[in-house]
Amino acid sequence: MNTQTRIRAGIAALVLLAAPLALAGDGGVGGGYLRYGASARSLSLGNAVAGLADDAATSYWNPAGYASLRTMELSAMGASLGMDTQYGFVTLGLPTASWGTFALNGTYTRSGDFERTDLYNDLGETFNETEGIFSLGWAKAFGRFSAGAAIKTVRQDIGGAAGSGTGLDLGVHYRPHQALGLGVSVQNALAPKIVLLEDEEELPYSLRGGLA
């Protein structure tokens, strides 16, 4: 199979795998804070970096990208969102000689204050919502192909009702040519399940595919 045939086959496979994304949106589903972004670079690209994944920050979207690191890399971002919401992200990638690359990620989101009410009255109190994510990632290259995974803990607190869950992200990356990279990742391949009061919320999986 020549190089052009491999490229066409890879593109066709990515289109088939990523097709559900065209029909999906956040639509108010849980875990929206997992999709805020991880760097100014990825945000400027609309978080369409599954096929790029060539630094520690964009590898948030495709853990296989950590395998591309050649030296230790630290990246951080902070942003003020609407309604006084604060968002922060930090990642540290640590490549090794023979064991692949290990990475630590942390994200934190805190909303502004909301007024607390019951069905009939304003209680004269305020509350906020916070979410935190900590993950440990690993990736390794096998020639032009690389694979990666990130196990994470997700914690959510809404007005004192708090819960946490553990999840897993997976990713693969293939570089058939020096100027082309193909990537597919699944966020929440193992979905975190969080119980705040009584009802359990399972965060939805997100499938991403791309080329760059």
Side-chain angles (χ1 to χ4, degrees):
M1 181 182 292
N2 60 36
T3 300
Q4 288 186 345
T5 302
R6 288 198 297 267
I7 292 174
R8 290 170 182 167
I11 292 173
L14 284 173
V15 170
L16 290 174
L17 287 170
L21 296 178
L23 302 177
D26 287 351
V29 298
Y33 50 87
L34 296 175
R35 297 180 286 276
Y36 282 168
S39 69
R41 182 189 184 199
S42 62
L43 285 171
S44 68
L45 295 170
N47 292 328
V49 293
L52 186 61
D54 59 357
D55 62 21
T58 54
S59 296
Y60 173 85
W61 298 109
N62 186 350
Y66 291 121
S68 67
L69 300 185
R70 296 295 176 261
T71 60
M72 183 179 70
E73 188 171 317
L74 175 66
S75 179
M77 182 190 77
S80 295
L81 309 179
M83 304 296 292
D84 295 326
T85 298
Q86 301 297 316
Y87 177 75
F89 168 83
V90 62
T91 182
L92 175 65
L94 301 167
T96 66
S98 57
W99 295 96
T101 299
F102 296 88
L104 298 173
N105 282 321
T107 63
Y108 178 77
T109 309
R110 184 187 186 279
S111 74
D113 291 335
F114 302 101
E115 294 184 359
R116 190 186 297 271
T117 65
D118 60 18
L119 186 59
Y120 302 105
N121 302 304
D122 183 347
L123 301 180
E125 302 174 359
T126 61
F127 70 96
N128 58 53
E129 177 180 355
T130 62
E131 293 95 13
I133 309 165
F134 175 78
S135 70
L136 172 63
W138 171 86
K140 187 172 177 60
F142 305 91
R144 295 179 179 273
F145 176 83
S146 60
I151 186 169
K152 62 188 178 184
T153 296
V154 180
R155 178 175 174 79
Q156 187 174 22
D157 185 319
I158 302 178
S164 61
T166 301
L168 179 70
D169 298 338
L170 300 173
V172 294
H173 191 267
Y174 178 60
R175 188 167 293 280
H177 188 271
Q178 183 179 2
L180 179 63
L182 309 173
V184 175
S185 64
V186 182
Q187 191 177 45
N188 300 328
L190 175 63
K193 298 179 181 180
I194 299 175
V195 178
L196 294 180
L197 292 175
E198 297 179 356
D199 296 331
E200 180 181 80
E201 179 183 31
E202 180 175 321
L203 301 186
Y205 81 93
S206 176
L207 175 66
R208 292 175 177 269
L211 57 90

